[in-house]
Amino acid sequence: MMIMDLTGKTALVTGASRGIGRATTLSLARAGAAVVINYSSNEAAAEAVKKEIEGFGGSALVVRADVSDYSQCENLIKSAVDHFKRIDILVNNAGITRDNLLARMKTEEWQEVIDTNLNGVYNCCRAILRPLLKQKSGGRIINVASVAGIHGNSGQANYAASKGGVIAFSKTLAKELGSRDITVNAVAPGFIETEMTDVLSDEMKEQVLSRIALGRLGKPQEVAEVILFLASSAGYITGQVISVDGNLSM
Amino acid sequence: MSVESKVKDIIADQLEVAVDKLSKETTFEDIDADSLDIVELVMALEEEFDLEISDQEIENINSVGDVVKYIESKV
């Protein structure tokens, strides 16, 4: 039997205002979790997610933080714990792309992607450990990686490296925290209908579609469902990478 | 409350052992504490005594007595 009841739990989602983060936040809230909506730039979008959650009787808190900055992550976790008195679930979703062929890539493009996508995961995980361990009631960490981090993707050396790093980091953390009933998993979305893929040219989209067995892009909600599963009933799954990509061959 | 009994209480609580089983000579090996147990204990000590214990200092702490001695030198 699948039990996806998160009543009494608190979940924090980074990059929660749009795309996969938004769908995940709404799903966790519908399952009963109190949610912390983190965003870095789009305050209006974050507030809209909060409003939607409060509309169906859930509770939510909006906190601005740039995950590439450790002290901001510390404040983010502190705000969450101060407000909801506990923290149980962390979804590291915040991510950016700065696509370019390596031959043309600027150091800033490399650095910005690593800072947000990889260092951001380290920052939030590091900051949440103390309150999580102190609670002594287990926990769930779900990191949003990417198929690019498994297979590589031309034009995304920075993004693929950051996501590959997230995968290895997740597997390691799963080993370190297993004895405390804290599970750590990664999901690896393929091409999902978000602002991140909106920027792809029609020609590029055609080419991508021909490589997806299911013949369509995924929906944010389809990734959110997997994250919800990992955050709730999947108590005996840890250190895994779950591809949500419609069977994409890269 | 003396530092020693405070420290023993924290260790007993963190590592889930009976406080009367702890003496100054008790080592963390004796009570089967793993590396993460030690980290959790250090976090609790840091909070209780409002101090920061470095990785290097942690390496020199092997017994209940070591903790007491360390805390007494700091507070």
Side-chain angles (χ1 to χ4, degrees):
Chain A
M1 195 176 76
M2 302 261 275
I3 305 163
M4 301 219 187
D5 182 14
L6 294 174
T7 307
K9 307 272 188 196
T10 300
L12 164 59
V13 182
T14 66
S17 66
R18 291 175 281 178
I20 293 169
R22 177 178 182 278
T24 299
T25 307
L26 289 168
S27 294
L28 292 167
R30 282 206 187 88
V35 294
V36 181
I37 302 163
N38 159 255
Y39 74 99
S40 68
S41 56
N42 198 332
E43 185 179 5
E47 288 294 340
V49 176
K50 180 176 194 252
K51 214 172 152 196
E52 191 168 339
I53 289 167
E54 287 171 347
F56 57 75
S59 48
L61 174 75
V62 172
V63 183
R64 203 203 86 80
D66 174 352
V67 295
S68 69
D69 182 310
Y70 185 73
S71 64
Q72 291 189 40
C73 290
E74 263 191 324
N75 286 334
L76 169 63
I77 305 285
K78 192 176 177 305
S79 310
V81 175
D82 284 351
H83 191 83
F84 291 119
K85 305 299 168 213
R86 59 179 301 115
I87 188 86
D88 305 278
I89 299 158
L90 169 64
V91 182
N92 283 302
N93 164 77
I96 58 168
T97 54
R98 297 285 183 270
D99 296 356
N100 218 337
L101 291 171
L102 186 63
R104 303 279 307 158
M105 190 172 287
K106 294 174 191 68
T107 302
E108 302 83 70
E109 290 171 338
W110 170 266
Q111 199 60 50
E112 278 175 36
V113 169
I114 297 295
D115 283 348
T116 297
N117 299 10
L118 182 56
N119 296 353
V121 172
Y122 159 79
N123 288 339
C124 289
C125 286
R126 180 71 183 79
I128 205 175
L129 272 191
R130 190 180 279 260
L132 208 52
L133 288 170
K134 227 172 116 185
Q135 267 173 205
K136 291 186 182 294
S137 57
R140 301 290 169 87
I141 297 173
I142 299 111
N143 297 322
V144 179
S146 165
V147 285
I150 301 172
H151 303 287
N153 193 23
S154 185
Q156 291 197 310
N158 48 4
Y159 186 77
S162 72
K163 295 301 191 178
V166 166
I167 289 170
F169 176 85
S170 306
K171 289 180 178 178
T172 300
L173 207 56
K175 289 186 203 290
E176 288 192 11
L177 301 176
S179 65
R180 299 303 187 270
D181 198 26
I182 298 170
T183 68
V184 187
N185 292 288
V187 294
F191 287 88
I192 308 298
E193 290 169 5
T194 64
E195 286 171 35
M196 209 181 256
T197 53
D198 277 350
V199 297
L200 299 176
S201 65
D202 285 348
E203 189 194 338
M204 181 91 173
K205 272 187 190 158
E206 277 305 311
Q207 202 209 3
V208 163
L209 285 175
S210 69
R211 292 186 284 139
I212 301 172
L214 289 180
R216 62 174 177 84
L217 299 190
K219 293 181 171 33
Q221 187 58 29
E222 291 172 314
V223 181
E225 301 284 350
V226 177
I227 295 173
L228 173 61
F229 169 63
L230 291 171
S232 56
S233 47
Y236 200 57
I237 298 177
T238 194
Q240 303 303 307
V241 188
I242 306 192
S243 293
V244 189
D245 64 358
N247 194 5
L248 173 69
S249 3
M250 299 196 64
Chain B
M1 203 193 269
S2 72
V3 167
E4 183 176 339
S5 50
K6 231 179 188 177
V7 164
K8 278 185 181 168
D9 276 352
I10 292 170
I11 294 173
D13 181 48
Q14 281 296 322
L15 306 181
E16 289 166 357
V17 286
V19 75
D20 55 18
K21 288 253 161 60
L22 297 172
S23 72
K24 274 190 166 180
E25 287 70 41
T26 309
T27 68
F28 293 116
E29 216 181 320
D30 294 337
I31 49 177
D32 291 326
D34 65 17
S35 53
L36 195 52
D37 285 324
I38 303 297
V39 171
E40 286 183 299
L41 173 63
V42 166
M43 286 179 350
L45 292 167
E46 285 176 332
E47 262 173 47
E48 176 66 29
F49 296 101
D50 192 24
L51 43 81
E52 218 168 284
I53 307 174
S54 73
D55 288 346
Q56 211 172 356
E57 289 167 322
I58 294 170
E59 272 173 36
N60 298 323
I61 294 175
N62 298 306
S63 67
V64 174
D66 290 343
V67 178
V68 174
K69 215 164 79 190
Y70 174 79
I71 300 291
E72 280 174 344
S73 77
K74 293 279 171 175
V75 296

